[in-house]
Amino acid sequence: MKRILLGTLLALPLAISSLPSQASAAEIIVRPNVHRAAFVHKPVVARYQRKLIPAHWEIVRRGNRWVKVRVPARYVNVRV
């Protein structure tokens, strides 16, 4: 008798959870996978302007020093 009662007490929660509820009775609408057109983003063209840098930094005992000379002058691309 104890086994029967124990079996019904264990099976009762499973039986209640298997009953259909109002949420499961609602109509479920499944949309097919619609492939959307891929947006093609135009690349942003970075505009650069060449600028002459007629000097450079030199490391000296007291720190760094900005030295203006013509020989190591170089062009650097600067974003406009």
Side-chain angles (χ1 to χ4, degrees), residues 9-80:
L9 287 176
L10 289 175
L12 188 62
L14 295 174
I16 292 174
S17 65
S18 66
L19 292 175
S21 63
Q22 289 181 354
S24 65
E27 185 178 345
I28 298 173
I29 300 171
V30 178
R31 293 189 335 167
N33 290 334
V34 178
H35 297 287
R36 295 181 181 169
F39 288 103
V40 178
H41 296 286
K42 292 182 181 178
V44 177
V45 179
R47 296 180 57 196
Y48 290 97
Q49 181 179 1
R50 292 178 60 84
K51 184 177 180 183
L52 179 67
I53 306 294
H56 64 276
W57 287 100
E58 280 187 0
I59 300 173
V60 292
R61 280 189 293 166
R62 295 189 181 104
N64 297 333
R65 189 176 73 177
W66 183 250
V67 180
K68 287 193 170 194
V69 289
R70 288 200 160 267
V71 177
R74 66 181 197 269
Y75 282 95
V76 176
N77 290 332
V78 179
R79 199 171 196 164
V80 179

